[in-house]
């Protein structure tokens, strides 16, 4: 607390000042003399005569000043100690345990950068409470699985948010991960995505997502059973809807037809149930989780649960105790700043989606990403394109400056970098030099390779200022890249080509690599089963076998 935020009442603080003992004896000059008249002029009343005793008055003043100072220090100290207490509540772990990490997203023309946060729900039975809530007592002590996984993508300008769920039984490539706590190395393997958490912790799940989607992950946040219950209680419950009475004996979820407010263990039952809803699978569970998140976001943005200081403190306690985050997000201040960033996104521009999928040909109990449709979703996230399709109406944002005519090719400096290496594929040696030579042959004689290691899913061409855009487009045309691969970046000194994992061979960009829905706009495919943040009419269809 700042000291200047505390005001000490004086003699003019109101009609009751005299009754509180404030009189002219407190108004004395530093030299020990007394001001002959009180502030504001007028006749003094009740003050001691000149030369009378003043020591008692001074002691009162000194005592009051000392008391106020002590209160300020104690209050500030208590606030600091409570801040440290909340920081201590947070669990912290490493962000990425893989050998190859994707480069961070490139800033846009205004220096703004997209934000990608991986949200994880752990089925940990590492405590008595988690065993009680999760059941399966025989599994106590086993390594947890990440049974809920959602990537939260916030656009660079904070105008939209896309949330993508990947069902837990999706078979993926889990890259090599090294546990930084004990040094154990987990080899690359093909497995369900939820098992990645067992290969050293959430940092391996982050590495798996980067390999699957090509989206660089900035942070992760993980919560367990008990944390879900505490958070649901702290926000006062969340409204959900079912189209019939439902009772799922496996999760314990029991609700009447229509809207209900779920909190505590009932909220956990809602988020965990698979058999209660129509398709009885993880796909239906993801849809129910999207409905819950949308409803909770609407409540928190409305502020109805955050006006009571006691409830706000309960929420702070519950949130910090419930979460494990990466070390880069490991303070309450950083979480608070993140929350303010997320609040800027209108609920109408929040889109929940599920990764398009097909049955796994190797195992009927598993699924795999649906070709084309899943690639389209991943490309949209990589290129900061909202899943709701509304970005198409904002063309000027994608091209903030007009294109000047290109300079003569021989006068355009171009840097070429090799970003073909990923978590599961080594970089193709010599790619930057090969493409730089090809550009020289095409007349761009100032093209040069840069050996700085990079890792990028999509090939991009970046330029620093508006006068260079025409030059960048000329480079793109020469290499066969689409105009959407050209972007304005505040972090490059000149035209910079980063060769991505989508262009590992040849000297002309393969047309098949230009996935639809990428940097030129688009909308999520129907198979993503999207839900808008403002949709209050959504209602889960109950599994007929569980109609109560």
């Amino acid at each position: 607390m700042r000291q200047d935020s505390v005001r000490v009442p004086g003699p003019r603080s109101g009609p009751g000042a005299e009754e509180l003992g404030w009189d002219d004896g407190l108004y004395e000059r530093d030299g020990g003399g007394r001001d002959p008249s009180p502030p504001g002029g007028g006749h003094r009343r009740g003050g001691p005569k000149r030369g009378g005793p003043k020591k008692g008055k001074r002691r009162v003043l000194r005592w009051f000043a000392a008391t106020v100072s002590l209160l300020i220090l104690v209050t500030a100290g208590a606030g600091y100690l409570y801040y440290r207490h909340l920081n201590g509540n947070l669990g912290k772990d490493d962000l990425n345990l893989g050998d190859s990490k994707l480069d961070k997203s490139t800033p846009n023309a205004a220096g703004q950068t997209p934000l990608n946060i991986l949200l994880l729900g752990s089925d940990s039975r590492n405590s008595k409470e988690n065993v009680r809530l999760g059941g399966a007592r025989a599994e106590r002590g086993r390594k947890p699985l990440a049974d809920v996984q959602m990537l939260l993508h916030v656009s660079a300008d904070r105008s939209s948010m896309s949330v993508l769920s990947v069902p837990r039984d999706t078979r993926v490539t889990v890259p090599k991960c090294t546990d930084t706590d004990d040094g154990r190395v987990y080899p690359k393997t093909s497995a369900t995505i939820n098992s990645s958490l067992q290969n050293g912790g959430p940092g391996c799940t982050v590495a798996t997502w980067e390999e699957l989607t090509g989206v660089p992950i900035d942070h992760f946040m993980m919560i367990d059973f008990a944390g879900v219950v505490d958070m649901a209680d702290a926000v006062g419950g969340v409204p959900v809807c079912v189209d019939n009475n439902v009772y799922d004996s496996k999760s314990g979820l029991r609700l009447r037809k229509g809207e209900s407010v779920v909190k505590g263990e009932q909220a956990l039952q809602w988020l965990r149930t698979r058999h209660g809803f129509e398709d009885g699978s993880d796909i239906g569970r993801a849809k129910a989780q999207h409905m819950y998140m949308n409803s909770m976001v609407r409540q928190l943005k409305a502020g109805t649960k955050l006006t009571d200081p006691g409830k706000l403190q309960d929420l702070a306690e519950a949130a910090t105790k419930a979460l494990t985050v990466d070390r880069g997000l490991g303070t309450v201040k950083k979480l608070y700043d993140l929350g303010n960033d997320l609040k800027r996104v209108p609920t109408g521009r929040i889109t929940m989606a599920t990764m398009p999928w097909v049955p796994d040909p190797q195992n009927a109990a598993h699924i795999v990403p649906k070709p084309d449709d899943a690639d389209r979703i991943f490309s949209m996230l990589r290129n900061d394109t909202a899943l709701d399709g509304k970005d198409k109406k904002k063309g000027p944002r994608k091209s903030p400056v007009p294109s000047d005519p290109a300079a003569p090719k021989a006068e355009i400096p171009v840097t070429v970098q090799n970003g073909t290496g990923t978590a599961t594929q080594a970089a193709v040696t010599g790619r930057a030099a090969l493409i730089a030579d090809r550009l020289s042959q095409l007349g761009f004689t100032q093209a040069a390779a840069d050996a700085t290691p990079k890792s990028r899913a999509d090939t991009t061409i970046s330029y620093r200022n508006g006068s260079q855009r025409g030059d960048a487009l000329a480079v793109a045309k020469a290499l066969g890249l689409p105009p959407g691969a050209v972007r304005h970046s505040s972090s490059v000194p000149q035209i910079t080509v980063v060769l991505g994992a989508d262009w590992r061979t040849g000297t002309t960009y393969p047309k098949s690599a230009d996935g639809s829905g990428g940097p030129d706009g688009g909308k999520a495919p129907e198979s993503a089963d999207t839900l808008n943040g403002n949709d209050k009419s959504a209602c889960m269809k109950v599994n007929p076998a569980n109609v109560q």
Side-chain angles (χ1 to χ4, degrees):
M1 180 184 296
R2 291 176 52 192
Q3 292 195 25
D4 60 7
S5 67
V6 178
R7 296 185 181 272
V8 180
R12 301 182 67 188
S13 61
E18 291 175 339
E19 296 175 13
L20 293 174
W22 298 97
D23 62 22
D24 298 324
L26 297 181
Y27 288 86
E28 302 185 7
R29 299 189 185 279
D30 293 338
R34 188 162 37 82
D35 195 341
S37 62
H43 179 66
R44 287 193 288 108
R45 298 184 302 164
K49 295 180 180 179
R50 184 179 297 274
K54 297 179 287 185
K55 292 183 179 179
K57 305 295 185 184
R58 290 173 182 164
R59 281 196 295 269
V60 170
L61 177 58
R62 286 196 298 269
W63 174 86
F64 179 80
T67 301
V68 170
S69 299
L70 181 61
L71 286 173
I72 291 170
L73 291 173
V74 169
T75 304
Y80 175 69
L81 289 175
Y82 186 63
Y83 173 75
R84 288 190 61 185
H85 162 73
L86 291 177
N87 284 342
N89 284 346
L90 288 167
K92 305 171 188 69
D93 214 330
D94 294 321
L95 175 62
N96 191 318
L97 301 181
D99 283 352
S100 296
K101 303 171 180 64
L102 292 174
D103 293 337
K104 297 299 182 184
S105 300
T106 303
N108 65 8
Q112 302 164 312
T113 306
L115 186 62
N116 297 301
I117 305 170
L118 187 60
L119 308 180
L120 303 174
S122 159
D123 74 346
S124 171
R125 269 83 170 179
N126 61 359
S127 70
K128 183 177 180 180
E129 181 65 3
N130 278 331
V131 169
R132 184 185 73 81
L133 293 169
R137 288 173 173 78
E139 295 187 1
R140 179 165 189 167
R142 72 152 167 80
K143 290 184 177 181
L145 299 164
D147 276 355
V148 178
Q149 302 190 27
M150 299 180 182
L151 179 62
L152 188 155
H153 171 85
V154 189
S155 65
D157 63 3
R158 305 305 186 250
S159 67
S160 67
M161 182 190 302
S162 301
V163 181
L164 180 68
S165 290
V166 170
R168 64 174 185 170
D169 288 331
T170 303
R171 182 172 59 83
V172 297
T173 297
V174 179
K176 172 187 171 186
C177 291
T178 303
D179 190 333
T180 52
D181 290 333
D182 59 15
R184 180 175 176 181
V185 177
Y186 296 86
K188 181 178 74 173
T189 185
S190 177
T192 55
I193 196 167
N194 66 339
S195 68
S196 60
L197 187 63
Q198 297 183 324
N199 290 12
C204 193
T205 305
V206 168
T208 302
W209 268 78
E210 287 200 351
E211 170 57 27
L212 172 68
T213 65
V215 177
I217 308 297
D218 300 298
H219 299 292
F220 74 78
M221 303 171 69
M222 184 169 69
I223 191 169
D224 60 14
F225 294 148
V228 170
V229 171
D230 290 343
M231 285 288 288
D233 281 339
V235 300
V238 174
V240 296
C241 177
V242 289
D243 71 347
N244 213 327
N245 296 340
V246 59
Y247 174 58
D248 174 21
S249 60
K250 293 185 181 295
S251 68
L253 179 68
R254 187 192 297 269
L255 292 174
R256 292 188 176 277
K257 178 180 179 179
E259 185 176 286
S260 301
V261 175
V262 295
K263 62 173 63 175
E265 292 186 36
Q266 197 173 42
L268 179 63
Q269 293 164 357
W270 175 273
L271 294 170
R272 292 190 69 203
T273 187
R274 286 185 296 158
H275 306 285
F277 303 130
E278 187 176 44
D279 57 9
S281 71
D282 284 319
I283 309 303
R285 179 161 68 171
K287 188 182 298 186
Q289 291 164 355
H290 294 164
M291 183 186 299
Y292 181 93
M293 284 188 65
N294 272 347
S295 186
M296 184 170 67
V297 167
R298 287 195 298 268
Q299 285 201 151
L300 292 177
K301 285 178 72 70
T304 55
K305 302 296 181 182
L306 303 180
T307 55
D308 185 304
K311 289 183 178 179
L312 187 59
Q313 182 173 337
D314 288 345
L315 182 58
E317 286 283 350
T320 52
K321 287 179 179 177
L323 292 174
T324 297
V325 300
D326 64 279
R327 301 189 195 283
L329 198 58
T331 68
V332 173
K333 172 67 166 57
K334 291 177 180 177
L335 287 171
Y336 176 80
D337 290 343
L338 172 63
N340 280 338
D341 231 12
L342 300 182
K343 280 171 59 178
R344 295 165 55 189
V345 181
T347 53
R349 293 298 315 279
I350 297 175
T351 306
M352 304 279 176
T354 301
M355 179 197 73
W357 58 275
V358 294
D360 181 1
Q362 298 182 21
N363 187 331
H366 300 158
I367 63 174
V368 292
K370 183 178 182 180
D372 297 331
D373 281 7
D375 292 336
R376 178 184 174 90
I377 288 272
F378 300 155
S379 178
M380 292 177 74
L381 296 176
R382 289 194 299 265
N383 290 286
D384 197 22
T385 303
L387 299 184
D388 60 9
K390 295 181 180 178
D391 279 353
K392 293 179 67 176
K393 301 176 183 178
K394 301 191 303 179
R397 183 176 71 86
K398 294 296 180 182
S399 303
V401 292
S403 299
D404 289 344
K409 294 179 181 180
E411 297 178 9
I412 302 176
V414 182
T415 297
V416 184
Q417 297 176 322
N418 186 354
T420 57
T422 67
T424 56
Q425 297 183 101
V428 179
T429 304
R431 284 294 291 164
L434 178 66
I435 299 304
D437 287 345
R438 176 58 179 162
L439 284 171
S440 294
Q441 295 169 11
L442 294 172
F444 296 89
T445 55
Q446 293 192 49
D450 178 356
T452 304
K454 293 287 178 179
S455 183
R456 186 74 57 81
D458 299 307
T459 299
T460 59
I461 299 180
S462 301
Y463 61 94
R464 184 171 182 82
N465 56 58
S467 64
Q468 296 176 344
R469 179 170 169 78
D471 299 344
L473 288 169
V475 173
K477 183 177 180 180
L479 294 175
L481 281 154
V486 175
R487 57 196 62 184
H488 192 170
S489 171
S490 60
S491 63
V492 296
Q494 60 187 39
I495 308 298
T496 301
V497 180
V498 180
L499 307 170
D502 59 343
W503 190 13
R504 295 174 62 86
T505 61
T507 56
T508 300
Y509 186 72
K511 292 183 179 180
S512 60
D514 178 24
S516 59
D520 291 321
K523 185 177 181 179
E526 292 295 325
S527 56
D529 197 15
T530 60
L531 178 66
N532 183 267
N534 270 346
D535 188 351
K536 300 179 182 179
S537 64
C539 204
M540 290 301 298
K541 294 183 178 180
V542 173
N543 185 340
N546 287 304
V547 172
Q548 182 68 21

